[in-house]
Amino acid sequence: MANKLIVSAAPHITSADSTSKIMQRVCIALLPALAASVVIYGFSALLLTAVTVAACVLFEYGYCKLMGRDTTINDFSAVVTGMLLAFNLPAGMPVWMAVVGALISIVVVKQLFGGLGYNFANPAIVGRIALALGFTGRMTTYIYPSNGIDALSSATPLAVAGELNAGSYVTLLLGNHGGVLGETCALAILAGGVYLIATKVISPMIPVSYLASVAVLSLCFGMDPIVQLLSGGLMLGAFFMATDYVTSPTTEKGKLIFGVCLGVITMMIRRFGTMNEGVSFAILLMNLVVPYIEINTRQDKLGIAKAKKEAAAK
């Protein structure tokens, strides 16, 4: 009879899910958006995704071999980073630029800080920001779907938000407009996010608080909340990037604070900044303050609060 008594050091919370299983579910959740981007933009979207995924995996494998570490490509985290990086790029992005973004994401942000679990920010977010700063022209050059819908053919939805009408909501939901791969079909991203919540890969606290705060602030600023929710990288950021295990809080109170602050920063950039989009910078900034959120929202040790009360009574 197998010994079912497990004696080990804390923590004692265990799960049957491994890192690779969790990452595989994230990949599955991204497939609807990938399929939608291929339908909208054609083969170039699939090629770009394949290149970024392959580059991320090869960079991770090469770095581990170079440093004499065990290779970690089997955990699928590099695949997820590659897919998310591709979803932050326009379909017409030159593949060599995408490879540069993969290098920054995997080597600079992830591996130089110790690998998975030690990165200070979401690797794909930093890769996108680096490419946006280094190749601004290419990052804002979009391929538009040739489907007869030209209401948004001159710019991304956030750039012409004041010109949108109720009929444009369907366009935003289905993704028939210019933008990066993850800014297009909001319906596909939402479906993937629901799958992650249903399979308990992520907690709904961060995406719900993030989206809710954006909606509330949109109303306060006199902006269309539906347009703000369905435009830009908000859906992708809320469900797939802000919920990264390594760079997001673990406490429920911390997740709430994290999500609300993301919404505030995003809307401040969209309303008062010179950029139309603020999701990437909002997530990066909040990634940096996660350790402080964790410290101030963690549960008190058992007996500490009682001891304080007894001391005060005396």
Side-chain angles (χ1 to χ4, degrees):
M1 180 178 178
N3 186 7
K4 296 184 179 181
L5 178 62
I6 300 175
V7 181
S8 62
H12 303 293
I13 300 175
T14 60
S15 172
D17 291 331
S18 62
T19 300
S20 61
K21 288 182 180 179
I22 292 173
M23 294 300 171
Q24 287 170 19
R25 288 174 185 167
V26 176
C27 291
I28 293 173
L30 288 169
L31 289 180
L34 176 60
S37 65
V38 173
V39 171
I40 295 169
Y41 297 116
F43 178 73
S44 58
L46 183 61
L47 175 63
L48 184 65
T49 304
V51 168
T52 55
V53 169
C56 285
V57 172
L58 288 175
F59 282 134
E60 182 152 317
Y61 178 83
Y63 185 89
C64 290
K65 284 294 185 181
L66 182 64
M67 301 304 294
R69 299 178 182 173
D70 294 334
T71 57
T72 56
I73 58 175
N74 292 332
D75 63 13
F76 279 81
S77 62
V79 176
V80 171
T81 298
M83 294 185 72
L84 289 176
L85 178 61
F87 280 32
N88 279 277
L89 305 177
M93 189 79 172
V95 293
W96 71 267
M97 292 183 184
V99 172
V100 172
L103 175 66
I104 295 171
S105 298
I106 294 296
V107 177
V108 178
V109 182
K110 183 180 178 182
Q111 292 299 335
L112 286 181
F113 285 86
L116 183 65
Y118 297 95
N119 43 289
F120 68 94
N122 186 290
I125 282 288
V126 180
R128 174 195 170 127
I129 292 175
L131 291 177
L133 295 176
F135 307 105
T136 306
R138 296 302 308 185
M139 285 290 287
T140 54
T141 301
Y142 307 113
I143 295 176
Y144 300 99
S146 56
N147 50 15
I149 300 176
D150 58 359
L152 303 174
S153 61
S154 61
T156 60
L158 283 176
V160 293
E163 304 173 16
L164 300 180
N165 51 47
S168 301
Y169 295 156
V170 177
T171 299
L172 295 176
L173 195 63
L174 299 180
N176 299 309
H177 55 78
V180 303
L181 302 187
E183 290 181 357
T184 50
C185 188
L187 184 62
I189 295 292
L190 183 60
V194 171
Y195 169 79
L196 292 180
I197 294 174
T199 55
K200 301 187 184 302
V201 173
I202 65 173
S203 164
M205 180 63 75
I206 291 177
V208 169
S209 59
Y210 190 0
L211 297 175
S213 59
V214 167
V216 171
L217 287 175
S218 298
L219 292 173
C220 293
F221 292 152
M223 305 165 74
D224 190 331
I226 299 179
V227 171
Q228 295 303 316
L229 289 173
L230 299 181
S231 301
L234 182 61
M235 288 289 180
L236 180 68
F239 287 105
F240 290 94
M241 308 187 83
T243 54
D244 178 30
Y245 286 2
V246 181
T247 57
S248 63
T250 58
T251 64
E252 289 301 306
K253 186 186 298 184
K255 291 175 182 178
L256 176 61
I257 295 172
F258 185 74
V260 171
C261 290
L262 283 174
V264 171
I265 296 173
T266 298
M267 288 308 300
M268 288 297 173
I269 294 175
R270 287 184 175 185
R271 177 63 179 84
F272 302 106
T274 57
M275 299 177 295
N276 295 318
E277 182 58 288
V279 173
S280 296
F281 287 98
I283 294 177
L284 176 58
L285 289 173
M286 289 309 299
N287 284 166
L288 299 178
V289 300
V290 163
Y292 302 99
I293 295 177
E294 286 282 83
I295 292 173
N296 289 283
T297 59
R298 63 189 177 188
Q299 183 177 349
D300 291 333
K301 296 178 181 179
L302 292 176
I304 296 298
K306 183 178 180 181
K308 289 180 179 179
K309 290 180 181 179
E310 290 178 352
K314 292 179 180 179

